[in-house]
Amino acid sequence: MRIAAAVVAATIVVLGLTACSEEQTNDAQNKVNSAITSGQQALETAKESAGNAIDQGKTALFVATFRGAYAPLAADRDDADIEKILTTTCDEVAKGTDEAAVKAEIITLAENNGTVPTQEQAGHIYSLAKAACP
């Protein structure tokens, strides 16, 4: 929305410059072009960042599913703690880390007050997390 607002504002400025001198018009046009370029660069940066980020909807679904399926592992944990399982898994998958090593990390991260997930549960958590990864 900021980019659209900047483009609209820039257009108004350009149209309003018709009464100004040519030097003032060129200076204003350069400022407008600079603002538009900056807005486009910001949009491209945001798109690139979003491409690498885990979708918030998928994150929320992962947390809710984890809480429902693994209540003893989720008890008394905040969402950020459970999200760490997801983000760590996604980071390791992106690096190409061996699946067995990622599952071992999941066991460590998912352990809660002495309750440790089984290998089978770690496999399910791995599959759930991997599906949410970008």
Side-chain angles (χ1 to χ4, degrees):
M1 279 178 67
R2 289 182 184 173
I3 295 170
V7 171
V8 170
T11 303
I12 291 170
V13 169
V14 171
L15 293 175
L17 292 175
T18 56
C20 299
S21 71
E22 189 166 327
E23 182 178 318
Q24 290 172 327
T25 301
N26 288 339
D27 184 48
Q29 183 63 46
N30 289 339
K31 288 179 182 177
V32 168
N33 288 341
S34 178
I36 291 171
T37 300
S38 294
Q40 289 170 331
Q41 290 170 344
L43 180 59
E44 288 304 315
T45 300
K47 283 182 184 177
E48 289 171 12
S49 295
N52 295 327
I54 301 172
D55 180 273
Q56 289 302 314
K58 289 180 181 178
T59 299
L61 181 60
F62 175 85
V63 171
T65 303
F66 185 90
R67 286 191 184 286
Y70 307 106
L73 298 173
D76 300 321
R77 294 174 89 162
D78 63 14
D79 288 353
D81 194 35
I82 296 171
E83 287 172 12
K84 184 176 180 183
I85 299 167
L86 174 62
T87 57
T88 300
T89 301
C90 290
D91 290 345
E92 294 302 320
V93 167
K95 287 185 214 174
T97 303
D98 178 64
E99 184 176 329
V102 177
K103 288 178 182 178
E105 181 70 14
I106 289 171
I107 289 171
T108 300
L109 292 171
E111 184 273 329
N112 186 32
N113 295 323
T115 302
V116 180
T118 65
Q119 285 291 331
E120 184 179 354
Q121 289 172 325
H124 292 150
I125 294 167
Y126 174 83
S127 296
L128 179 65
K130 192 172 175 187
C133 294

